[in-house]
Amino acid sequence: MGSEKLRQLPSVDRLLGEATVQGLVAAYGHRQTVHALRETLDAVRDEVRDGADVPEIAALVARTSVRLREHLAPTLRPVINATGVIIHTNLGRAPLSTAARAAMEAVSRGYSTLEYDLQAGRRGHRTLHAERLLCELTGAEAALVVNNNAGAVLLALTRLAQGRGVVISRGQLVEIGGGFRIPEVMAQSGAHLIEVGTTNRTHLRDYERVLKTHEDVALILRAHHSNFRIVGFTAEPTLPELVALGAEHGLPVMDDLGSGALLDTAQFGLAHEPMVQESVAAGAAVVCFSGDKLLGGPQAGIIVGQAEYVEPLKRHPLARALRADKLCLAGLQATLLHYLKDEATEQVPVWRMIATELAEIERRARRWRRALRRAGVPAEVVDGESTVGGGSLPGETLPTKLVALDVAHPDRLAATLRAADPPVVARIEEDRLVLDPRTVLPEEERELLRAVSEVMR
Ligand SMILES: *Cc1c(COP(=O)(O)O)cnc(C)c1O
């Protein structure tokens, strides 16, 4: 049954003769187009066997075109972040400054001085570019940039403590997102974990006791709690106290800051996030932090500290395995320059978002509400909270103004917005879909409003 009709289906060769199919070949290549034509014909054959009519050529081409577009569409693509989480790990963490993007574009277009000393006309060092700036900004003697902070911690522990003991408070044996757990990284580095104190309270005397009884300790490690907070009955020695204790025993202190701020978050009404400069000044031998958290640059792991401890890291084989690429180094250098020029709160998007005044956010929210209402979308402006994210300032929020859409099925609306082009990621709060202007870049505003208006229609 239907075999008569099946014979009416055109062959792949016949379809390739169509001008419209040649258009697909030009756009997607011969091999992909032939493959998609076969798949379309296979599917149609099944449908015809089930009693469907043989489609027109134009319909076959249209189906093939959709198939190709969906199959070859990039899956890593920009989205509009309307969640109000500034350093959103799932959405690519820090958006980059204009200068950082331009620097990355410039070195990607052709050749660069990545490992070339122009003056001498011979081989140079790739990490030099950012190191000089990092030392100037943080007061450290030496610096090194690797691929990410997990790599920085692994490299430092491996080089400084392999086969030896590392002392850390039980309250700091944290797991951050993405499977990074301090005890497991420690095991991977070959260092032995020596836990001191308790989950909520660890005193200096706990460290002292352990240092008296353990033979082969290489390092005292302090790790940022990252994305959780211990509240209530808690205690932890300060970094200067740990450094002083370490000095008594001839031991360096390593500080894994995680986010690693170069500016003081307290000036924006937030709690004080530990700053890199503070750890360096307190005498930490090695300080590690991310490039794409509060620094607001590209993905990188940054190590700063005392030359005696940082320099040997550069010569370890792991440093080669974890090395940063030219795009990262170009973007990082441009980002660091914003701090040196005291323009980070205007130029670095993460800091601009943190620093945006509530009145400014309210103005934007009202503007959105007006535009949406004009498009027939019932929108309201309500009070809300943004968060910094990126493993910094857990539990801390910034007051914001949200544009709320009161619809019957906010989850369905959220899904439709995620399917828009560009996709919009929003938040659902108290059964309403809410959009936070704080994390939406000004140049994304129009597309966001267009997407919401179209979806609500
Ligand atoms: C985020 C974080 C890391 C890992 O940094 P990545 O740059 O994501 O590799 C390590 N330690 C702490 C405390 C962190 O918060």
Side-chain angles (χ1 to χ4, degrees), residues 230-250:
I230 305 184
V231 294
F233 189 53
T234 64
E236 226 168 48
T238 64
L239 187 62
E241 285 170 343
L242 288 180
V243 170
L245 180 69
E248 277 174 37
H249 296 262

Side-chain angles (χ1 to χ4, degrees), residues 134-148:
L134 283 165
C135 290
E136 191 171 338
L137 281 166
T138 65
E141 289 171 4
L144 169 64
V145 181
V146 293
N147 185 48
N148 58 25

Side-chain angles (χ1 to χ4, degrees), residues 104 110 127 134 153 206 212 253 256 279 287 325 359 365 394 433 446:
M104 293 166 97
T127 56
L134 283 165
V153 174
D206 295 321
K212 281 204 188 100
V253 174
D256 174 16
S279 295
V287 183
D325 82 314
L433 185 122
R446 267 178 54 173

Side-chain angles (χ1 to χ4, degrees), residues 3-50:
S3 59
E4 189 61 32
K5 283 205 279 181
L6 280 181
R7 268 194 295 271
Q8 295 166 25
L9 268 183
S11 66
V12 169
D13 277 341
R14 157 89 178 70
L15 286 170
L16 279 170
E18 292 287 321
T20 46
V21 174
Q22 279 308 306
L24 295 181
V25 171
Y28 300 106
H30 184 78
R31 195 162 52 88
Q32 287 292 337
T33 306
V34 168
H35 186 70
L37 284 171
R38 289 215 176 97
E39 285 188 336
T40 304
L41 288 172
D42 284 348
V44 168
R45 220 169 272 125
D46 286 344
E47 291 162 17
V48 170
R49 276 198 201 99
D50 289 343

Side-chain angles (χ1 to χ4, degrees), residues 93 148-150 176 180 224 226 256-259 290 292-293 300 391:
R93 288 196 185 163
N148 58 25
N149 189 33
I176 63 159
F180 181 91
H224 190 284
S226 198
D256 174 16
L257 279 179
S259 224
S290 288
D292 54 351
K293 289 182 178 173

Side-chain angles (χ1 to χ4, degrees), residues 103-370:
M104 293 166 97
E105 225 279 308
V107 297
S108 62
R109 207 178 303 133
Y111 302 97
S112 65
T113 56
L114 180 64
E115 288 185 7
Y116 192 73
D117 181 338
L118 282 177
Q119 243 170 357
R122 57 178 149 78
R123 185 168 210 268
H125 294 280
R126 74 167 51 212
T127 56
L128 217 64
H129 308 288
E131 281 168 24
R132 184 177 52 84
L133 302 180
L134 283 165
C135 290
E136 191 171 338
L137 281 166
T138 65
E141 289 171 4
L144 169 64
V145 181
V146 293
N147 185 48
N148 58 25
N149 189 33
V153 174
L154 177 65
L155 169 62
L157 286 176
T158 305
R159 176 61 183 82
L160 303 174
Q162 192 166 53
R164 303 175 65 201
V166 173
V167 179
I168 182 169
S169 162
R170 287 201 165 87
Q172 296 169 9
L173 294 174
V174 295
E175 171 182 322
I176 63 159
F180 181 91
R181 301 170 128 189
I182 293 280
E184 287 170 13
V185 176
M186 192 90 81
Q188 198 61 44
S189 75
H192 310 307
L193 175 65
I194 305 171
E195 302 173 34
V196 299
T198 63
T199 304
N200 58 327
R201 286 173 74 81
T202 302
H203 306 283
L204 203 60
R205 60 174 183 275
D206 295 321
Y207 286 86
E208 271 168 349
R209 199 173 313 128
V210 156
L211 292 180
K212 281 204 188 100
T213 52
H214 282 72
E215 287 281 288
D216 199 20
V217 176
L219 197 66
I220 298 173
L221 173 62
R222 185 179 83 153
H224 190 284
H225 292 147
S226 198
N227 40 18
F228 88 111
R229 190 160 71 165
I230 305 184
V231 294
F233 189 53
T234 64
E236 226 168 48
T238 64
L239 187 62
E241 285 170 343
L242 288 180
V243 170
L245 180 69
E248 277 174 37
H249 296 262
L251 290 177
V253 174
M254 169 172 159
D255 195 14
D256 174 16
L257 279 179
S259 224
L262 289 180
L263 297 180
D264 189 355
T265 49
Q267 63 182 307
F268 304 107
L270 290 160
H272 175 73
E273 173 73 14
M275 293 167 70
V276 183
Q277 301 91 313
E278 292 166 351
S279 295
V280 170
V286 178
V287 183
C288 304
F289 57 104
S290 288
D292 54 351
K293 289 182 178 173
L294 272 175
L295 188 75
Q299 177 187 305
I302 299 167
I303 305 173
V304 299
Q306 296 164 359
E308 177 188 352
Y309 296 98
V310 175
E311 290 299 335
L313 302 181
K314 298 180 184 175
R315 296 186 291 274
H316 193 276
L318 260 185
R320 175 62 179 79
L322 294 169
R323 80 177 179 188
D325 82 314
K326 62 185 175 188
L327 297 185
C328 157
L329 293 167
L332 183 61
Q333 178 165 332
T335 305
L336 293 171
L337 280 172
H338 292 312
Y339 289 92
L340 269 185
K341 294 194 278 180
D342 291 321
E343 59 182 27
T345 49
E346 294 95 55
Q347 297 297 328
V348 177
V350 163
W351 285 100
R352 200 171 57 221
M353 289 172 185
I354 290 175
T356 309
E357 306 255 350
L358 187 59
E360 168 58 19
I361 295 183
E362 182 160 16
R363 266 195 295 281
R364 285 179 76 193
R366 285 174 189 275
R367 207 163 57 230
W368 292 13
R369 178 182 60 186
R370 268 200 306 280

